[in-house]
Amino acid sequence: MTAFKLLKNSTYLLSALLLAACQPSPPTNESVTDDNSETVNSPIVITDDSVTMTPDHILSIKPSRYQPSLGLQGKIEPIKQTKLIAAHPINVEEVLVTEGQWVEKDTPLLIVRRVQSESKAADVSNPTKAQSSESNNVAPDSERANDAIDVKQTRSQDTDTASKPSQPTAVNSATTAKNIPSADKKDSVANAAVSNPKNNDKTSADSTTNSKPQHNQYNLVTVRASFSGRVKNLYAKTGQKVEARTPLLQLSDETKLHFIATLPIQAEPQLSVGQTVNFTVEGMSDKFTGQVSKLTATSQPKKLLVYVNVIDNEVSRDKLLPDMKVTGRVNYGQIDVGTIVPKHALHDVDLTELQTSPYKPLRPLTANVWIIGQDQRLIRQPIEVVEYDPITKQYLIAGISNDSLICLADLPIDSKGKKVSVS
């Protein structure tokens, strides 16, 4: 009787265990396979033409939807900024602004005088030679006066259509010097507006119509701001003699900002002007918004420059300043489907940058994964790592079809093409 009861109880216990084993596993956020689990340490037998492994080494596809995106990184800078450089040796007669000062358009910045070379001085002292030199001059003297200041100007192309750079206005400085009292000369001398000196021909010609060129290129020239902005990097000093190609000052409009990111040229088909960019600034928790304004491909090396204009709103206003480092992302394409895998399924990749927010790579991050094909042979499949989940400690990857099986074992390279046996 006792033996019968023991057998009956054992039958009940075995049935209970089988019933529990058939129940589906509850939802969990834990990793598919822990790196320290038996899967990693289970023995694998590799022969010349086969690889024998346990079922724990094989992972079925676990799909997950995601939005494709690209990372952008750059530095905040004004869209409109200009650097004044001396095209010829000049004397800085007077500096009319201070570094950090905000100036309005057409505000006088500097008063300069082009340095007279020894050969020119000899020509002036010899009336006969001076007259011969005068008749051989091609460009009017007002143009030569403007050439004393050269300009390197940085402007985003999308703003140029709305506001073209102002053209220089040249005034005959000889007439000015002769007819205007010396006390008023500073505000009445030639206006060398900030612009491209190559565009001076028409203006110079108009200002000297029906007048004979005069030798007055060494008179004072007032340099004025071509747009409203802040004076930065003021190098010029009153009384200073400046050699050619020497920077004088920089003018920046800090009210309109952008940043420029560099991407591989292969990213060009995914981007277009007008796309929204969400970004953060180093050292800030705020999230800002921008918009792609221009895409420029470079030839050497082949890169894609992405210009992103900052959206001026209450969030960005008074918070974003030039030289701040930013990191952002731009979405592209339709919602896609990837696969979730543990870390030890990924090979030949450094995953360090994914361990911190936003847990997405700044550039496309490639790795290799072992795949078991439908013919049961091993394939070393290149994939792209899309994202890291710090809660589950799993990675989202793209590039694997839904009918594949993933091998979690770290196999030698020569395992490619070998047939998989499950024991």
Side-chain angles (χ1 to χ4, degrees), residues 1-75:
M1 186 69 179
T2 303
F4 176 76
K5 288 184 178 180
L6 182 60
L7 180 60
K8 185 178 180 180
N9 291 338
S10 299
T11 303
Y12 287 151
L13 180 60
L14 181 59
S15 299
L17 290 173
L18 290 174
L19 183 62
C22 293
Q23 298 299 318
S25 301
T28 178
N29 285 329
E30 294 181 358
S31 302
V32 175
T33 305
D34 188 4
D35 286 345
N36 296 322
S37 68
E38 295 181 0
T39 301
V40 178
N41 299 321
S42 298
I44 296 177
V45 179
I46 302 176
T47 65
D48 291 340
D49 58 358
S50 68
V51 177
T52 303
M53 61 185 67
T54 66
D56 290 335
H57 287 105
I58 301 174
L59 177 68
S60 299
I61 296 297
K62 185 179 179 182
S64 179
R65 294 160 62 87
Y66 72 95
Q67 171 63 61
S69 64
L70 291 170
L72 302 175
Q73 194 172 49
K75 187 173 64 175

Side-chain angles (χ1 to χ4, degrees), residues 76-133:
I76 293 291
E77 60 183 35
I79 294 177
K80 192 188 299 182
Q81 53 184 336
T82 298
K83 180 179 288 185
L84 275 68
I85 297 176
H88 307 283
I90 60 173
N91 282 330
V92 180
E93 299 295 324
E94 189 170 357
V95 178
L96 304 175
V97 292
T98 59
E99 187 164 336
Q101 177 182 344
W102 181 268
V103 297
E104 300 298 328
K105 182 179 179 180
D106 293 330
T107 299
L109 305 174
L110 305 168
I111 297 178
V112 302
R113 186 194 304 270
R114 182 172 170 182
V115 175
Q116 183 176 355
S117 64
E118 294 181 1
S119 59
K120 292 293 183 181
D123 290 346
V124 173
S125 62
N126 188 337
T128 304
K129 191 172 183 180
Q131 184 176 1
S132 174
S133 176

Side-chain angles (χ1 to χ4, degrees), residues 112-116 120 124 130 133-134 137 139-148 170-179 185 189-190 204 207-208 211-222:
V112 302
R113 186 194 304 270
R114 182 172 170 182
V115 175
Q116 183 176 355
K120 292 293 183 181
V124 173
S133 176
E134 176 183 330
N137 280 331
D141 294 320
S142 56
E143 182 179 323
R144 293 200 300 273
N146 280 346
D147 284 344
V171 181
N172 190 303
S173 53
T175 307
T176 302
K178 184 185 299 183
N179 300 330
K185 284 183 181 178
V189 292
S204 300
S207 63
T208 56
S211 62
K212 191 175 183 179
Q214 302 293 325
H215 286 281
N216 47 46
Q217 63 267 33
Y218 308 116
N219 286 330
L220 299 177
V221 175
T222 298

Side-chain angles (χ1 to χ4, degrees), residues 244-255:
R245 314 314 303 167
T246 302
L248 300 174
L249 62 82
Q250 183 174 338
L251 185 66
S252 302
D253 180 5
E254 299 171 355
T255 62

